[in-house]
Amino acid sequence: MATMQIQAEPYPFELAPESTALLMIDMQRDFVEPGGFGEMLGNDVSLLRSTIEPCQRVLEAARRAGLTVIHTREGHRPDLACAPPAKLKRGGLEVGIGDKGPMGRVLVRGEYGHDIIPELYPAAGEPVVDKPGKGAFHETDLHLILRNRDIRTLIVCGVTTEVCVHTTVREANDRGYECLVLSDCVGSYFPEFQRVALEMIKAQGGIFGWVTHSDHALEVLSRIRAPDEAALATGAGGA
Ligand code: TIU
């Protein structure tokens, strides 16, 4: 399997395209648009919106390169049976998880606010993993999906850096995956948390991952030919 390298910290990130997935974490209206869960927690959602454009570029490049693309959404069943009581209670919010907000019931599957923003909407065939927690592996079939596709490395985008991105990257690391987090494609409501969260990932020799700017990933992704294209070029993919 031919490998490629993306310039990253603390050292270059090695990947083989066929065993690499792009993981888009929780780019949902509830986190990045006004009127959702993020705002109900007292946050300024505009801080997250700077991730949308770089995420669009990476998503397009990953699709062109033929990488597996997987999206996640944090949220709960309409009957809230998968929402831990502690999570429902947390924050003592006037309008909280399951309650009616401007974009429908907050963090409830099937509601307008729970869905992924149109700019980054999943394409047909791209798995969407609904997760009840912060980590994308907790009580989901993500690990099974990745193993079935022989995925071993993850390029990670999404929100928020110190919450769902961190939790997911830590879970992935413990399961043997190598994660590259794109610094401009992950966002936090708190600039200080953004900075420190990225530092934590790559500290101690890459204690649970690598960090780089999307420009470095895009440069490498642009050199990957999707399997269909490669087959056509060698004449192996004829009708
Ligand atoms: N509040 C916050 O920063 N994040 C979350 O609740 N979920 C995710 O990070 N997706």
Side-chain angles (χ1 to χ4, degrees):
M1 197 183 286
T3 59
M4 307 174 93
Q5 285 192 341
I6 298 177
Q7 184 184 322
E9 290 181 87
Y11 55 90
F13 183 77
E14 206 157 285
L15 72 152
E18 56 275 36
S19 63
T20 302
L22 173 67
L23 190 59
M24 275 285 166
I25 299 179
D26 299 2
M27 291 302 289
Q28 299 162 255
R29 292 191 181 93
D30 263 332
F31 293 111
V32 301
E33 289 184 2
F37 183 59
E39 196 172 78
M40 273 151 208
L41 292 170
N43 300 305
D44 173 7
V45 296
S46 67
L47 274 172
L48 299 193
R49 300 192 61 80
S50 64
T51 63
I52 297 174
E53 272 186 37
C55 278
Q56 281 180 302
R57 287 193 287 273
V58 171
L59 182 57
E60 256 172 53
R63 285 173 178 159
R64 266 202 310 269
L67 256 55
T68 287
V69 176
I70 299 176
H71 307 258
T72 71
R73 298 184 296 203
E74 179 178 349
H76 300 281
R77 296 159 46 101
D79 62 9
L80 302 182
C82 62
K87 184 176 181 182
L88 295 176
K89 235 178 34 200
R90 188 77 48 81
L93 304 172
E94 204 167 298
V95 180
I97 296 170
D99 296 333
K100 189 118 182 72
M103 294 192 291
R105 292 179 68 205
V106 177
L107 280 198
V108 170
R109 296 174 190 163
E111 299 287 335
Y112 183 75
H114 171 266
D115 209 357
I116 293 171
I117 57 172
E119 295 93 324
L120 298 169
Y121 209 73
E126 291 175 355
V128 177
V129 173
D130 279 320
K131 62 193 191 55
K134 304 304 180 195
F137 289 84
H138 173 67
E139 302 290 358
T140 72
D141 51 11
L142 178 59
H143 193 36
L144 180 61
I145 294 170
L146 296 174
R147 274 186 294 144
N148 285 343
R149 294 181 183 212
D150 289 324
I151 300 293
R152 285 189 287 281
T153 50
L154 301 173
I155 297 176
V156 182
C157 300
V159 297
T160 63
T161 312
E162 78 280 12
V163 183
C164 292
V165 171
H166 244 235
T167 307
T168 299
V169 170
R170 288 167 189 251
E171 286 180 331
N173 178 64
D174 282 348
R175 285 163 177 78
Y177 298 99
E178 296 195 301
C179 297
L180 175 65
V181 176
L182 303 185
S183 56
D184 53 323
C185 295
V186 294
S188 170
Y189 300 119
F190 307 93
E192 180 65 359
F193 291 176
Q194 170 78 0
R195 187 183 66 74
V196 175
L198 293 173
E199 288 291 330
M200 288 167 75
I201 293 167
K202 65 186 181 187
Q204 304 180 68
I207 194 69
F208 56 89
W210 283 255
V211 177
T212 199
H213 191 275
S214 65
D215 286 347
H216 298 305
L218 287 168
E219 191 273 312
V220 171
L221 291 177
S222 72
R223 287 193 270 121
I224 300 171
R225 275 192 305 187
D228 288 356
E229 259 183 84
L232 281 175
T234 60

